Structure formats: structure tokens, C-alpha cells
Amino acid sequence: MTQITEDWIRVEATQDVCSALTNAGAQALFVGGCVRNALLNAPVSDIDIATDAHPERVLELTSKAGLKAIPTGIDHGTITVVSGGIPHEVTTFRRDVETDGRRAVVAYADAVEEDAARRDFTMNALYARPDGTILDPLNGLPDLRARRVRFIGNAEDRIKEDYLRSLRYFRFHAWYGDADAGFDPEALSAIASHLEGLEKLSRERVGAEMLKLLGAPDPAPSVAAMRSAGVLARILPGADDKALPILVKLEGDAGAPPDPIRRLAAIAPLEVARTLRLSKAQLQRLTRMRDEAMGTAGVAELGFRYGSTGGLHETLLRCAFLEQPWTDDLAIALEKGAAASFPIKANDLIPKYSGPALGKKLAELEARWIASGFLLDRDELLAE
């Protein structure tokens, strides 16, 4: 018997949510990511619970138990129940009534099998009772153990229900799939046969999914598979993933954690990345990374301007584009620049310089100081 024994499932606050439902005769089953990740010994962040109780009944039962119930998605059958400061997404069993590739019209269901059948991948259709016992209505456990990402039922049907699932397939493979086993041929064939559906997706959804994929430890094989299937060209016209596997290797050599924006900068031209409706901060970071990676500023200067962490992004990206290795000398140059402090202040040049002339002179002196390897001191710079 397979059973979850991780600490999160035994937390009293979480068990209180389950008891509020089961004590009244309703079902309470953990589902989705929390079950999948627990079985893979991966971190669990969100707790989702499926139930046969309708939303109004969930509100009634959990409120009666003294828990905070918030109708965050009541129209879709979801109630957020906060217990012990922990949010639990409690959703009524559902079945699809109508789909158009972007959204689904759903109806409440009574059986867990119906709820499981409307999900995307077999590894996401695993449930666990409050005691941790696994319930596997679609025989997804063997797929999870083999780290095999497989669509539920007919892959084409699942994709036509929601075309975002084509992107989710590559994302889940990047995070949970067996890279050595490769990709499911049926899934790739179905995805390649329905590329036109990707155009129905909002750019926000595409951008969010790409960033999740690029945050995986090594997204390069999944992105390469996207290119081969024709997906990459559809969602990011002009994208080139040649530098991505090199960047991932360099990140490991430099001890740098994954950064989705840095990796997006490695594959997407700026004009293409802009179409993903990134946040202003994300777009500014991506623009700076690409501009500096393709610029002429030395590594030490990048460290001075952006700090050792900020300068690392541009340096790694530049090395990936130029197919150059990461070296200790690069790390030393970054730290040297990050520790440097320009010794001239604006007041040192006033009143001789003012306005635009002041800014120009400061920039000129800074350039000389950087070119000297940060060696020129204040008196030497002012004497010049």
C-alpha cells in the first residue's frame, strides 16, 4: 500500500480542514501537486483538496468548524480554507461539459473518477486520503514512478480541451520527467498536430508558462523538444535555443541558481520577449541582460555597475553566446568590480562644472578609473 508520510499531511491545521468535511460525511482527498511532489520527495508548497461537497456546503462546514473560509473561486467550485495560517484550496469534484481550447464549462461531479478524468496528466490525477493512503483512479502511479509525463486518455482530446496543455507538457517534463527516457511520442505527435491552437492563448498565459518551464533545473531538453515539435517557433517567433544548454552548464560551473529571465534572455530576442507581457521589472532585467551581454563592458565593470550577483547574469549570458567556459578569473573580476567604489563625487567638480557638462565630466573620469583597473585614486583623477 502506497502512503504519504510527510510532515505536511499530518499537520493538525490541515487535518482539521479534512475533519470538517469528513465528519459530515463528505470526502476530503488531497490531490495534484501536493500528492505528486510528496511521492517524488519534492517540496510541497500548495495544498489542494478535492471533495464531493458543493461549495456552499464546504463554506458551511468549515465555517462551523471555526475555520476561515473564503469564496475565492466559488464560481469554479473552489473555496480557500485557512487553518492555522495555512491556505487550503478546497474544490468540488468537477467534470467538463464544454471546452473551447481556452476555458471549460464545468459541472459538479459526484465521483472521484470523473474529477480525475478531466485533469491533464496521469501523474496529476493521484489523490490521497487524510491518512495519506493513495487513491489512483487512472493508474497514474506507475507513470509517476517512472517519471513518465503522459496525457490522460487521448492526448489530442486533452490538448483540444485546453491548448495550454501543450506547453504544460514540456514544463512538467522539465521538472518531473525522466530525461534519459525521452518524450512520449504520442504526446509530441498530438502537440505537433495542433499548433494552431497555441495562437488562441493569451500572451500572459504563454509567458507565465514559459517562465515556469525555464525555472526547472535543466529546461534545455524540453525547449529543444518544443523546437522540434514546432512549438517554439509558434510562441516565440525568431527564438533560438542554441545557447540555452551552454548557459545551464555555465550556471552549474559558477554555482548560480536557475533564473528564468536570464534563460529567456538566452533564447528570445528582445522584440519577441516583449510580446509575452512580462512585468515592467522583468522586461527591464531581460533588456539589461541582453544589452550588456552583447556589449563591450568588461566583466569587472559589470560587477561594479550591477554588483557581483547582477553582473553574474550578464557574464554568464555573454559566455553562453560566445561559447566560452566559466573560469575563476571571471569570478575574481566580478568580485573586484563589485567591491570597487568610485572616489569622485559631483561636489568635487563644482563649481567648475555644472549641468550636462558635470555629468559628462563624471562619466569621463569614471571611464578612466575603470580603465585603470579601479586603481586611480581621487587626487590622481582630479589632477587629470
Side-chain angles (χ1 to χ4, degrees):
M1 179 180 66
T2 303
Q3 190 170 22
I4 293 174
T5 58
E6 274 71 11
D7 291 341
W8 66 266
I9 201 171
R10 297 195 299 267
V11 170
E12 183 178 354
T14 295
Q15 286 294 315
D16 286 344
V17 177
C18 296
S19 296
L21 299 171
T22 57
N23 287 345
Q27 295 187 65
L29 299 172
F30 297 104
V31 66
C34 61
V35 178
R36 178 196 64 233
N37 286 19
L39 293 172
L40 291 174
N41 294 316
V44 171
S45 55
D46 301 319
I47 301 178
D48 293 317
I49 297 174
T51 181
D52 54 354
H54 287 201
E56 296 77 10
R57 181 65 169 157
V58 173
L59 280 171
E60 175 191 350
L61 295 175
T62 53
S63 297
K64 185 177 179 180
L67 307 176
K68 184 178 181 181
I70 309 168
T72 48
I74 192 168
D75 292 340
H76 304 288
T78 299
I79 305 295
T80 299
V81 180
V82 181
S83 177
I86 304 171
H88 305 76
E89 299 291 319
V90 181
T91 304
T92 303
F93 293 160
R94 296 176 296 178
R95 58 183 175 83
D96 289 340
V97 175
E98 181 181 342
T99 60
D100 63 2
R102 294 181 61 186
R103 60 184 66 84
V105 177
V106 299
Y108 298 137
D110 296 320
V112 66
E113 290 80 7
E114 289 183 283
D115 188 71
R118 70 175 300 274
R119 297 178 181 273
D120 48 12
F121 310 114
T122 56
M123 64 169 56
N124 291 337
L126 294 167
Y127 299 74
R129 297 185 177 92
D131 66 357
T133 304
I134 295 299
L135 188 64
D136 184 11
L138 301 180
N139 197 33
L141 195 55
D143 287 334
L144 182 69
R145 286 171 171 161
R147 290 184 174 268
R148 182 170 49 242
V149 184
R150 187 167 63 87
F151 282 102
I152 291 171
N154 183 280
E156 291 200 17
D157 291 341
R158 298 292 80 75
I159 290 170
K160 286 189 289 186
E161 288 167 355
D162 184 353
Y163 291 108
L164 190 69
R165 287 173 173 171
S166 290
L167 303 186
R168 283 172 59 84
Y169 173 80
F170 296 107
R171 191 243 292 187
F172 274 84
H173 203 285
W175 279 98
Y176 307 114
D178 182 347
D180 293 332
F183 297 80
D184 178 17
E186 180 187 352
L188 292 181
S189 176
I191 290 169
S193 298
H194 296 283
L195 296 177
E196 72 288 345
L198 296 172
E199 298 170 6
K200 296 183 178 182
L201 301 174
S202 72
R203 299 302 289 171
E204 289 87 349
R205 293 183 79 194
V206 172
E209 199 61 37
M210 281 301 299
L211 292 181
K212 290 176 183 177
L213 187 161
L214 292 172
D218 183 5
S222 283
V223 175
M226 290 173 67
R227 169 173 40 80
S228 298
V231 173
L232 192 62
R234 284 280 183 151
I235 62 172
L236 293 175
D240 185 350
D241 64 313
K242 178 183 177 182
L244 183 57
I246 302 172
L247 176 61
V248 172
K249 171 68 165 56
L250 289 167
E251 290 170 347
D253 293 342
D259 187 296
I261 296 297
R262 181 174 63 224
R263 290 167 169 185
L264 181 60
I267 67 175
L270 183 57
E271 61 273 15
V272 175
R274 281 198 182 100
T275 68
L276 294 179
R277 312 287 175 84
L278 302 175
S279 71
K280 184 177 179 180
Q282 289 172 329
L283 189 57
Q284 287 176 339
R285 288 188 67 223
L286 188 144
T287 302
R288 189 195 80 199
M289 287 181 196
R290 282 191 68 93
D291 286 349
E292 293 289 13
M294 297 178 178
T296 58
V299 174
E301 181 177 349
L302 292 175
F304 164 65
R305 298 199 181 285
Y306 306 114
S308 56
T309 300
L312 180 62
H313 293 303
E314 289 80 10
T315 305
L316 288 172
L317 201 55
R318 179 181 293 174
C319 288
F321 287 147
L322 297 177
E323 300 185 31
Q324 295 179 341
W326 176 259
T327 65
D328 290 340
D329 288 342
L330 293 175
I332 292 170
L334 272 175
E335 292 298 334
K336 179 181 179 181
S341 178
F342 184 45
I344 301 298
K345 307 298 181 186
N347 285 340
D348 295 328
L349 303 177
I350 297 173
K352 185 175 182 179
Y353 297 93
S354 62
L358 174 61
K360 182 178 179 181
K361 192 61 179 178
L362 280 170
E364 177 186 325
L365 292 176
E366 184 184 77
R368 290 181 186 174
W369 173 70
I370 292 172
S372 76
F374 313 113
L375 296 177
L376 291 175
D377 61 23
R378 177 179 180 276
D379 291 338
E380 290 172 318
L381 288 167
L382 291 178
E384 291 187 17

